[in-house]
Amino acid sequence: MAGTLYLFAAFSITWFIIFIYIFSISRRQKTLEREIEKISRALGDHS
Amino acid sequence: MTFIQKVWAIVWKDITSELRTKEMLLSMCLFSFLVLIVFNFAFDTGLKNLRENISGILWVAFIFSGLMGLGRSFGVERDKGTLYGLLLCPISPWGIYLGKMIGTFIFMTIMEIFTLSIFTVLYNINVIPFLLPLGLIIFLGTLGFATIGTVFSAMSATTKARDVMLSILVFPISAPMIIALVKATGIILWGGAIQETYSWLKILIAFDLVFLLLAYLTFGFIIEE
Amino acid sequence: MAQMQEEDNYIIKASGLVKKFGFKTVLRKIDLSLKKGDFLALFGPNGAGKTTLIQILCSLMRPTSGNVWIAGFDAEYDREALHKVIGVVSHNTFLYNNLSAYENLKFYGIMYRVMNLRERIEEVMGLVGLRGYMNDHVQTFSRGMQQRLSVARAIIHDPLIFFLDEPFTGLDQHGVEDFKQILKKFRDQGKTIVMTSHDLDRGLELCTQAAILKSGNLVYKEDVSKITQDDFKEIYFKLTGEQTLPV
Amino acid sequence: MTHNRAFLKIFQFVTFFMMLLALYAIFVYAPVEKSMGIVQKIFYLHVPSAFLAFFAFFITFIASILYLYRRDHRWDVIAFCSAEIGVIFCTIVLITGPIWAKPIWNVWWTWDPRLTTTLILWFIYVVYLMLRSVAGENQRSNFSAVFGILGFVNVPITFLTIRLWRTIHPLVITGKGINISTPMIHTLIIAFVAFCLLFFWLLINRIGLEKMRFKVEEIRGFIEDKIHLEHEKQGG
């Protein structure tokens, strides 16, 4: 039974780390996309 | 031969400059002295197993005070603005590296001689009979430490949080060297023959050569802006 | 082919110099060529990129793109040879405080492989008027004396080309006059000089060419003989948008 | 552009599918190992992660050399992104290892050569990432490339030294030398492929992100330039 607990801990921590990383990448990507949008809108207004 | 003259000029000006104030040498020696004392409190001297830790204590003292010297090697040049003067000289980056490295090596050696004599008295270990093998190990260790340390000193001199950066750059890379040094020194202080340390000495020599070669190849990239 | 021959006459030639720090552009496509004996004064407001330009010209810094040739040496590949023919004076003296004046010059003399070093040191110390201070430590020197010693350091190997980055900074009136005398001597000897300065009056007095650097662009370059000082000042204010003389 | 997007979508789907397949293989297909029990299944996470961490640092090493040789900032970006993902996988190795070791060896940690080397490896690349954040923009790429090279060359020396220092722990040999059955090998291969796909998917995305950041900064610099020039015109 203890074995299952260890197994569960190992898998959940691994997936947790990977998902946090993927999440951080996608969040940064979103921020940049928003920025690009802002810039292109500003340029559109300008011209 | 002019190359050697130029390298020697860098060493000479570092040493002359340091001997005028003795700031760095004094603080290095004092610091290693303190490390010896603190470890004496930390590991009770009365205990029999002290001998096992003793080579570790010695190298902690050497390396920590060596770091002080390293930090100043390029740090001072940077602060006083003489670094550009040095870089403007018609000498290859490798020459600047060698000059700085030899200077650090000499300062560390002076500090180590001082520390070793204090160590003999405080820890009641007569190092005289082992002086030759011990000297060889310390030479190789100091050379390796100065080799990688000078590279990282030049790197950290331009970064933020200079001193912290220097130690965290140096320690992971010098891990194998530290293990080999502590082990080899332990064997010698235990009264072992030099033959027993051969495998460690091989690692030390390999470490020194590999990193000297890498420093030769990469130092130019570190000092260019 | 004609262009090649023309190039040969230039002792300093920089083409298409661009320097970026990260994404911040400091120099934008700068072309600069100087003939032997030219004395160029570079003016410009703070942050225009004067120091960066000088640092790239004396190959202390690598340009993001573009090339520099000094006296025929490519700054990227012949750094050592290039460093032998240039002397640099900046507001930073490059002197070691704990060493004496003589020891400082000796150090640099060895680095530049100067022959008959002892006599040469005495000569340059006389030139900058410090002959009596040979064995004094640099830290006891006043700012003006340090700057003079810095000049002595820069000329120890008798360079062909001088780069001067704000050389007047921290000098007193007397020091400035002496320094101008030294510069005049170099100019008359036919050395090539590039100087950056804040100070329009002092700069214009000596130079043969004047240029204005504005936010990384070389916006103006002209022979001094073709323009009066007042006209130049007017142009300077117009181009840089500054209201007063820079301090 | 659209071609790339489509490729990425397919790649993402395949990765996801392989991950699910790997999970199925690990929990359903692979039998429970006799001597260690169910804990042995951590092995399927641990080994591919260890390999990929090492592989990632190797990429950093090669890209660093190429950067210094070619001075093309794309190599620098690859070195950086690979090091970051390597640290992620190395962290997974260092966490799953002790979790496996505790029930099997009854200790969380031993100073076995493999373990110690991995720990030092992790440190080196954490320092690598730190160096990038503190170094000036002008020198960041050069510094990190040099450190990436020194750090990687250091790894075999460290391993040899520590092996000499701590003779190989007998438990590791029993741990590695278990008689692996065919379904276990199949599972390991599937997990391996899945993790490799995950790694490359992360790497592509991370590099894409870095490129995008470059683009945005470039545009920003360009606009600032324009504003500057316009201002200049008005001034003059």
Side-chain angles (χ1 to χ4, degrees):
Chain A
M1 214 43 233
T4 322
L5 195 71
Y6 284 115
L7 187 66
F8 175 73
F11 272 80
S12 52
I13 290 173
T14 303
W15 293 122
F16 181 73
I17 291 172
I18 292 174
F19 278 118
I20 287 284
Y21 187 62
I22 292 174
F23 178 71
S24 86
I25 289 181
S26 72
R27 209 199 42 191
R28 278 182 279 178
Q29 204 147 5
K30 290 250 165 63
T31 321
L32 285 175
E33 267 163 15
R34 230 173 290 144
E35 187 127 350
I36 290 176
E37 210 171 289
K38 224 165 48 186
I39 290 171
S40 56
R41 211 180 303 138
L43 284 179
D45 285 354
H46 201 74
S47 57
Chain B
M1 287 307 95
T2 49
F3 179 73
I4 293 172
Q5 271 175 2
K6 286 174 183 177
V7 171
W8 181 245
I10 297 176
V11 178
W12 167 83
K13 73 93 192 145
D14 274 347
I15 290 177
T16 320
S17 183
E18 175 56 31
L19 289 182
R20 293 273 153 76
T21 57
K22 300 179 193 69
E23 243 172 57
M24 186 175 84
L25 266 179
L26 277 178
S27 48
M28 278 168 82
C29 290
L30 216 59
F31 188 74
S32 68
F33 192 0
L34 273 173
V35 171
L36 290 184
I37 293 173
V38 167
F39 272 95
N40 197 31
F41 297 149
F43 305 100
D44 195 344
T45 353
L47 289 175
K48 279 276 192 286
N49 67 353
L50 182 71
R51 283 217 147 195
E52 290 181 17
N53 299 322
I54 226 156
S55 60
I57 294 172
L58 196 61
W59 279 103
V60 169
F62 286 171
I63 285 167
F64 275 68
S65 18
L67 271 177
M68 292 178 90
L70 275 180
R72 290 186 48 128
S73 175
F74 274 94
V76 166
E77 301 260 5
R78 186 95 202 164
D79 290 342
K80 299 264 161 75
T82 47
L83 186 60
Y84 283 154
L86 197 59
L87 295 183
L88 277 170
C89 293
I91 183 169
S92 61
W94 171 239
I96 295 176
Y97 171 83
L98 267 188
K100 279 295 180 183
M101 195 270 271
I102 293 169
T104 309
F105 180 83
I106 290 172
F107 290 136
M108 275 188 75
T109 308
I110 294 170
M111 176 272 291
E112 281 161 351
I113 290 168
F114 170 82
T115 310
L116 210 57
S117 40
I118 295 281
F119 173 81
T120 311
V121 176
L122 284 187
Y123 286 79
N124 224 353
I125 291 173
N126 188 9
V127 292
I128 305 288
F130 325 121
L131 216 50
L132 218 63
L134 197 61
L136 179 67
I137 293 166
I138 292 178
F139 170 80
L140 289 173
T142 312
L143 184 65
F145 196 68
T147 301
I148 56 167
T150 305
V151 173
F152 294 140
S153 174
M155 251 193 217
S156 63
T158 61
T159 61
K160 290 176 257 173
R162 180 192 295 168
D163 292 329
V164 183
M165 226 29 231
L166 178 62
S167 13
I168 67 169
L169 285 170
V170 167
F171 281 122
I173 304 280
S174 58
M177 188 185 73
I178 293 174
I179 293 169
L181 285 171
V182 170
K183 276 287 157 187
T185 313
I187 291 169
I188 294 296
L189 286 182
W190 251 314
I194 182 105
Q195 283 83 353
E196 288 172 51
T197 65
Y198 276 172
S199 47
W200 299 113
L201 289 182
K202 266 188 241 162
I203 286 178
L204 285 174
I205 292 169
F207 186 92
D208 290 358
L209 290 180
V210 166
F211 282 97
L212 263 178
L213 178 71
L214 284 176
Y216 172 71
L217 293 173
T218 59
F219 197 69
F221 295 108
I222 294 171
I223 54 171
E224 80 176 26
E225 282 190 42
Chain C
M1 272 295 101
Q3 205 186 348
M4 281 292 282
Q5 273 173 348
E6 201 180 9
E7 267 173 22
D8 288 343
N9 292 329
Y10 291 120
I11 192 158
I12 296 177
K13 186 160 170 57
S15 65
L17 287 184
V18 175
K19 181 67 188 177
K20 290 181 182 175
F21 290 115
F23 297 97
K24 200 170 169 287
T25 312
V26 185
L27 296 179
R28 305 155 208 270
K29 289 250 171 215
I30 292 207
D31 297 305
L32 185 70
S33 33
L34 291 175
K35 292 203 177 73
K36 192 173 178 301
D38 281 350
F39 187 152
L40 173 76
L42 262 174
F43 301 101
N46 281 327
K50 286 174 295 179
T51 302
T52 309
L53 180 58
I54 289 264
Q55 286 190 335
I56 287 176
L57 287 180
C58 54
S59 84
L60 267 179
M61 205 180 261
R62 167 189 284 273
T64 310
S65 61
N67 295 298
V68 176
W69 290 273
I70 305 278
F73 299 117
D74 190 326
E76 193 171 345
Y77 303 107
D78 298 321
R79 278 176 62 133
E80 263 180 73
L82 190 155
H83 284 162
K84 269 183 204 156
V85 297
I86 63 171
V88 180
V89 179
S90 85
H91 48 276
N92 208 326
T93 57
F94 306 153
L95 297 171
Y96 293 93
N97 276 335
N98 294 326
L99 301 180
S100 69
Y102 178 75
E103 285 164 337
N104 264 295
L105 293 183
K106 188 177 148 199
F107 169 64
Y108 283 105
I110 296 172
M111 296 304 276
Y112 284 99
R113 227 184 142 209
V114 176
M115 297 295 152
N116 301 327
L117 190 52
R118 172 104 224 169
E119 288 96 78
R120 179 68 187 154
I121 289 174
E122 271 166 16
E123 191 188 335
V124 293
M125 285 295 268
L127 253 169
V128 296
L130 286 174
R131 198 186 289 271
Y133 300 93
M134 207 69 117
N135 292 317
D136 290 13
H137 288 189
V138 171
Q139 58 194 353
T140 64
F141 281 21
S142 70
R143 169 75 201 164
M145 285 161 76
Q146 287 192 13
Q147 192 68 6
R148 281 198 238 171
L149 186 58
S150 183
V151 174
R153 170 195 60 71
I155 63 176
I156 187 105
H157 54 295
D158 196 23
L160 291 169
I161 302 157
F162 286 95
F163 290 104
L164 315 173
D165 188 15
E166 304 288 351
F168 297 121
T169 314
L171 282 184
D172 51 22
Q173 195 55 44
H174 186 63
V176 170
E177 286 309 316
D178 283 358
F179 190 59
K180 277 203 273 193
Q181 288 307 313
I182 295 172
L183 283 185
K184 220 169 264 170
K185 205 177 283 173
F186 290 157
R187 192 186 57 189
D188 298 341
Q189 280 171 5
K191 312 266 186 202
T192 314
I193 304 174
V194 178
M195 177 174 82
T196 69
S197 182
H198 278 122
D199 198 325
L200 289 179
D201 292 307
R202 283 172 186 161
L204 285 172
E205 221 175 286
L206 296 159
C207 64
T208 60
Q209 288 182 34
I212 298 170
L213 201 62
K214 161 101 208 284
S215 45
N217 289 309
L218 201 61
V219 288
Y220 180 83
K221 183 164 173 276
E222 189 60 86
D223 267 17
V224 172
S225 54
K226 292 183 187 158
I227 193 166
T228 66
Q229 270 199 30
D230 290 331
D231 284 348
F232 182 79
K233 273 182 200 166
E234 206 169 294
I235 292 168
Y236 179 84
F237 292 136
K238 230 180 190 175
L239 284 173
T240 59
E242 307 250 312
Q243 302 304 319
T244 51
L245 278 171
V247 182
Chain D
M1 193 71 190
T2 47
H3 184 76
N4 262 348
R5 281 254 166 94
F7 170 75
L8 266 180
K9 270 269 160 356
I10 294 167
F11 195 83
Q12 188 173 346
F13 177 75
V14 173
T15 308
F16 189 69
F17 175 76
M18 277 310 288
M19 288 317 279
L20 287 181
L21 189 67
L23 280 179
Y24 172 82
I26 291 167
F27 286 108
V28 183
Y29 175 65
V32 175
E33 210 267 335
K34 283 191 191 80
S35 64
M36 284 186 273
I38 200 160
V39 186
Q40 182 268 339
K41 286 179 192 289
I42 293 178
F43 178 77
Y44 303 118
L45 284 186
H46 186 77
V47 173
S49 304
F51 169 77
L52 283 169
F54 198 80
F55 182 63
F57 298 145
F58 181 68
I59 292 180
T60 302
F61 173 63
I62 297 295
S64 297
I65 293 174
L66 286 171
Y67 171 75
L68 291 183
Y69 189 62
R70 290 277 171 80
R71 288 179 185 284
D72 184 342
H73 84 266
R74 275 176 293 184
W75 289 117
D76 182 48
V77 169
I78 291 173
F80 165 55
C81 295
S82 186
E84 195 178 281
I85 298 167
V87 168
I88 299 281
F89 278 103
C90 203
T91 311
I92 291 172
V93 174
L94 286 173
I95 290 173
T96 53
I99 292 176
W100 178 73
K102 181 64 184 166
I104 305 295
W105 297 345
N106 212 18
V107 284
W108 292 109
W109 185 264
T110 64
W111 291 96
D112 160 86
R114 225 175 285 237
L115 273 66
T116 316
T117 312
T118 312
L119 184 62
I120 289 172
L121 196 66
W122 182 81
F123 257 109
I124 287 173
Y125 287 90
V126 169
V127 171
Y128 174 93
L129 296 179
M130 219 168 142
L131 180 66
R132 288 192 75 96
S133 69
V134 296
E137 271 172 345
N138 213 10
Q139 288 160 317
R140 178 178 303 146
S141 314
N142 277 3
F143 281 8
S144 48
V146 171
F147 193 75
I149 293 169
L150 295 188
F152 196 80
V153 170
N154 192 38
V155 172
I157 305 178
T158 309
F159 185 77
L160 288 177
T161 314
I162 298 170
R163 205 176 57 181
L164 205 64
W165 177 43
R166 308 262 158 169
T167 45
I168 294 189
H169 207 289
L171 281 169
V172 176
I173 295 172
T174 54
K176 296 287 179 222
I178 38 170
N179 47 339
I180 287 180
S181 62
T182 333
M184 282 179 170
I185 291 177
H186 290 165
T187 309
L188 186 62
I189 291 171
I190 294 170
F192 217 86
V193 172
F195 265 76
C196 285
L197 286 174
L198 177 69
F199 171 79
F200 282 110
W201 182 70
L202 284 175
L203 190 63
I204 290 170
N205 273 288
R206 187 65 186 82
I207 291 172
L209 176 68
E210 198 65 13
K211 273 188 185 156
M212 202 156 146
R213 200 177 65 82
F214 261 75
K215 277 255 165 63
V216 170
E217 293 283 346
E218 219 167 33
I219 292 170
R220 217 186 264 153
F222 184 72
I223 290 174
E224 262 166 39
D225 270 19
K226 274 275 185 289
I227 292 170
H228 221 115
L229 288 175
E230 224 151 85
H231 182 82
E232 208 164 272
K233 265 183 212 155
Q234 281 164 10

